[in-house]
Amino acid sequence: MANEQESFKKVISHAKEYGYIFPSSEIYDGLSAVYDYGQNGAELKKNIKEYWWKAMVQMHENIVGVDSAIFMHPTTWKASGHVDAFNDPLIDNKDSKKRYRADVLVEDHAAKIEAKIEKEVKKAEKRFGADFDKEQFLSTNPRVLRYQEEIDTILKRLGRSLEKEDLADVKALIEELGIADPDTGSKNWTDVKQFNLMFGTKLGATAESAMDLYLRPETAQGIFVNYLNVQKTGRMKIPFGIAQIGKAFRNEIVARQFIFRMREFEQMEMQFFIKPGTQQEWYEYWKEHRMKWHLSLGIDKENYRYHDHEKLAHYADAASDIEFRFPFGFKELEGIHSRTDFDLASHERFSGKKLQYFDPEENKSYIPYVLETSIGLDRMFLAVFSSALQEEELENGTSRTVLRLPAVLAPYKAAILPLVKKDGLPEIARKIFDELKWDFNVDYDEKDAVGRRYRRQDAAGTPFCITVDHETLDNETVTIRHRDSMEQKRVPISDLKGIIDEETAMSSWLKRIQ
Ligand code: ATP
């Protein structure tokens, strides 16, 4: 735990030091759970968006994108169920006056038991060495089985109580498990209450005519209300998808985990419209396909797992999360939800407009079912950034901080460094910069000794450093140094574009998804 906190702190301070993430309005001491992306953060975020958009829209003939407004007609949120049901169960500690999400307290308790299982696994791994069979151990070791049963019982009961809105039982569960305020250890809890997460605002100049609005808590509804517009104008045939990237707002009860849980964040969502009855097949397809997208980035697959839901949201008939091992443990990164016809049927009822699809093969009209993939852009940023940040011991006894971002996502693809600030080397370096900038975001750096510049680029995540030295004057070659291996090669200037392109081009990374 102490280690986890340490490494999480490092992630946060590194993100600030290298221009990735700043607290919002920091000169006024910041704003709780709101963050700004700096010069490098904005680039990384843009690249993640592009990687997602290309994988979803450009690579699928039957998926198109939209960009709908943040403000929506207020009835949207009645139809979607958000006015009535977009609540989180909150609980206050009477002694510390701290507020928590009751479900998260219980889930964190379960995660602690899970940590015990992991400990048993580690112990056994050591004991059995190469012969260790993890699957077998997990399914037969009596202690592990007991822990697992404990977790299952707790989560099942939590799921059932939340589904039945039995908040008294959620409190009873917290008390029975002896869960204490993580900050103070106090067990003096209030009752559990529901809290609506939508931010309200007003549209219009005068008090009488002003209309109560909400800031959208998800981008999905902007897709549903445009379903017919897109289907008709794009002459889309089922199955087809509509994708969107955009801001969403939630007045989160507890937002203490950096950009993991913010009050203003971005989502990348795709709604896939299908024939009723085919949802199981598409649910499996999108679960697998989205995992492939994640793994294509080369991040260790041990960092990912599925978590199938016990408790289903009001709109879903099946749901699974792709969880990621964040610095504070496994948590939801992306949701894959089978939403049935809940949204379109509900919008049809509330708007009085038909939202059906005429299926020429079946020769009948129906409301399509929907399969959703929904990922938080900021959470993806945190996943990529935190897993990339590494402290590395070097052979010469020193160490270096390196940000091993997937090259396709790195803010700068290369830095051009003249070895010294004289002898015509900066002029050549500038010329290389001016040639490469048409194809790549490149950095130019001539300050400090070259070794320090390498370290700076390593820590900023730049995959290549190109150094112009005196030999360049003779034969138009430079050295190119690889961030991860630190290997340097001498290459002709004319080869640079091809070398950088080979490792950073989005197309070659996207091909790994197939
Ligand atoms: P959680 O259980 O963590 O609150 P959720 O189940 O409410 O998440 P969804 O409504 O399914 O989340 O939203 C889809 C995705 O949006 C999530 O998988 C997550 O990546 C992202 N997301 C949701 N809430 C936030 C937030 N407050 N800050 C950042 N990202 C968020």
Side-chain angles (χ1 to χ4, degrees):
M1 209 58 175
N3 263 352
E4 278 185 2
Q5 274 173 7
E6 273 311 300
S7 69
F8 190 30
K9 270 197 203 144
K10 257 192 207 134
V11 167
I12 297 170
S13 64
H14 195 85
K16 184 168 176 209
E17 193 182 339
Y18 283 86
Y20 278 88
I21 298 165
F22 307 129
S24 158
S25 25
E26 198 187 8
I27 58 168
Y28 296 104
D29 296 333
L31 184 64
S32 155
V34 186
Y35 292 91
D36 295 340
Y37 287 86
Q39 65 280 19
N40 280 325
E43 290 288 337
L44 173 55
K45 201 173 169 195
K46 174 178 73 67
N47 293 341
I48 296 174
K49 277 196 231 186
E50 194 183 343
Y51 195 63
W52 183 87
W53 190 269
K54 287 201 174 201
M56 299 301 271
V57 178
Q58 190 172 321
M59 293 295 116
H60 289 93
E61 188 190 334
N62 58 348
I63 299 182
V64 292
V66 295
D67 183 6
S68 70
I70 287 171
F71 292 140
M72 298 184 70
H73 192 283
T75 310
T76 308
W77 307 110
K78 288 215 173 74
S80 69
H82 283 79
V83 171
D84 294 324
F86 194 53
N87 303 318
D88 273 344
L90 73 82
I91 189 164
D92 290 306
N93 187 281
K94 289 187 200 161
D95 296 327
S96 70
K97 308 278 181 264
K98 285 221 154 146
R99 181 158 277 188
Y100 293 94
R101 255 175 71 175
D103 55 336
V104 172
L105 284 179
V106 176
E107 280 164 8
D108 284 352
H109 180 87
K112 278 191 196 141
I113 307 174
E114 181 142 3
K116 289 187 192 166
I117 297 184
E118 278 190 25
K119 226 170 162 182
E120 293 292 332
V121 170
K122 285 230 167 74
K123 264 196 332 213
E125 240 164 13
K126 254 199 202 140
R127 191 152 22 103
F128 295 115
D131 294 336
F132 183 61
D133 179 341
K134 186 169 165 189
E135 289 306 310
Q136 196 195 349
F137 181 77
L138 287 175
S139 58
T140 53
N141 180 278
R143 194 171 297 164
V144 167
L145 289 176
R146 218 170 39 244
Y147 286 144
Q148 193 55 51
E149 199 187 325
E150 214 181 312
I151 295 173
D152 293 345
T153 313
I154 292 170
L155 293 182
K156 270 215 178 85
R157 178 158 157 206
L158 176 70
R160 264 201 316 271
S161 316
L162 288 175
E163 211 156 352
K164 287 190 301 189
E165 296 245 354
D166 186 352
L167 300 181
D169 190 58
V170 177
K171 181 176 182 190
L173 182 59
I174 287 175
E175 288 180 333
E176 280 168 40
L177 295 173
I179 295 176
D181 181 330
D183 272 4
T184 63
S186 157
K187 294 182 185 171
N188 194 6
W189 296 109
T190 62
D191 286 344
V192 178
K193 282 187 298 230
Q194 291 289 24
F195 176 79
N196 193 288
L197 299 183
M198 282 198 293
F199 280 106
T201 184
K202 285 196 188 299
L203 180 87
T206 59
E208 307 85 69
S209 66
M211 191 180 196
D212 284 318
L213 288 190
Y214 295 105
L215 298 184
R216 67 179 178 200
E218 62 175 29
T219 57
Q221 298 304 323
I223 294 178
F224 292 126
V225 298
N226 279 303
Y227 149 76
L228 210 53
N229 283 338
V230 174
Q231 191 272 319
K232 289 244 156 80
T233 57
R235 286 170 301 144
M236 308 300 288
K237 286 203 175 60
I238 270 177
F240 73 93
I242 306 178
Q244 158 150 256
I245 300 178
K247 290 256 169 157
F249 303 82
R250 297 182 186 180
N251 198 3
E252 298 280 359
I253 296 170
V254 184
R256 295 194 192 114
Q257 281 164 322
F258 195 37
I259 57 167
F260 178 81
R261 191 177 297 287
M262 296 198 286
R263 300 208 161 101
E264 172 181 344
F265 58 100
E266 251 177 290
Q267 291 186 313
M268 307 193 284
E269 298 198 297
M270 194 277 300
Q271 312 293 329
F272 200 66
F273 299 90
I274 55 176
K275 194 149 89 179
T278 61
Q279 65 267 35
Q280 186 62 30
E281 171 193 328
W282 285 112
Y283 175 64
E284 297 301 335
Y285 172 83
W286 282 109
K287 258 177 85 168
E288 193 187 320
H289 194 74
R290 290 302 305 148
M291 187 63 98
K292 280 191 188 157
W293 180 84
H294 286 284
L295 297 179
S296 72
L297 288 169
I299 298 170
D300 188 352
K301 70 174 192 300
E302 294 289 308
N303 286 324
Y304 294 90
R305 70 181 189 196
Y306 290 112
H307 168 235
D308 295 331
H309 281 212
E310 291 286 341
K311 174 195 178 243
L312 294 174
H314 58 278
Y315 53 75
D317 80 345
S320 182
D321 296 336
I322 294 179
E323 293 189 336
F324 188 80
R325 194 199 297 268
F326 287 100
F328 36 83
F330 271 105
K331 290 269 189 272
E332 170 176 348
L333 167 60
E334 169 158 12
I336 290 109
H337 308 127
S338 171
R339 296 181 77 119
T340 69
D341 63 356
F342 174 86
D343 303 271
L344 289 180
S346 186
H347 284 304
E348 206 180 81
R349 251 191 339 273
F350 276 82
S351 67
K353 308 272 174 3
K354 278 238 163 308
L355 295 177
Q356 307 211 344
Y357 172 79
F358 178 74
D359 190 331
E361 277 164 28
E362 304 257 320
N363 200 26
K364 67 172 190 196
S365 292
Y366 55 77
I367 298 177
Y369 269 32
V370 169
L371 224 285
E372 163 184 83
T373 71
S374 171
I375 173 168
L377 173 54
D378 314 86
R379 281 194 196 174
M380 185 61 197
F381 187 111
L382 183 59
V384 169
F385 189 87
S386 61
S387 58
L389 184 60
Q390 288 168 15
E391 220 32 72
E392 203 177 73
E393 298 299 325
L394 302 177
E395 278 171 15
N396 63 8
T398 60
S399 68
R400 68 162 182 161
T401 302
V402 51
L403 191 63
R404 293 176 184 270
L405 296 174
V408 65
L409 301 181
Y412 286 114
K413 302 305 180 208
I416 327 291
L417 320 171
L419 184 65
V420 289
K421 257 195 281 185
K422 53 182 187 184
D423 305 337
L425 303 188
E427 287 73 14
I428 302 176
R430 287 264 177 225
K431 206 165 144 244
I432 296 175
F433 178 92
D434 282 336
E435 273 164 27
L436 291 177
K437 76 179 181 192
W438 295 94
D439 294 290
F440 312 104
N441 195 26
V442 281
D443 194 13
Y444 176 86
D445 190 2
E446 57 177 26
K447 200 167 170 291
D448 299 324
V450 77
R452 286 190 58 184
R453 281 180 272 165
Y454 287 154
R455 289 290 180 273
R456 207 151 55 218
Q457 296 295 341
D458 287 348
T462 311
F464 294 108
C465 282
I466 295 160
T467 307
V468 177
D469 55 19
H470 290 94
E471 202 181 322
T472 314
L473 298 169
D474 299 335
N475 60 11
E476 303 218 336
T477 62
V478 290
T479 63
I480 184 160
R481 173 184 178 275
H482 204 283
R483 175 196 67 198
D484 296 341
S485 63
M486 297 193 292
E487 251 167 45
Q488 299 193 34
K489 265 203 309 219
R490 205 147 194 113
V491 301
I493 292 174
S494 54
D495 284 0
L496 286 172
K497 184 179 163 195
I499 296 172
I500 302 172
D501 198 55
E502 200 179 313
E503 292 216 21
T504 64
M506 222 163 247
S507 53
S508 41
W509 289 74
L510 285 166
K511 276 181 191 145
R512 303 179 183 182
I513 303 174
Q514 251 68 57

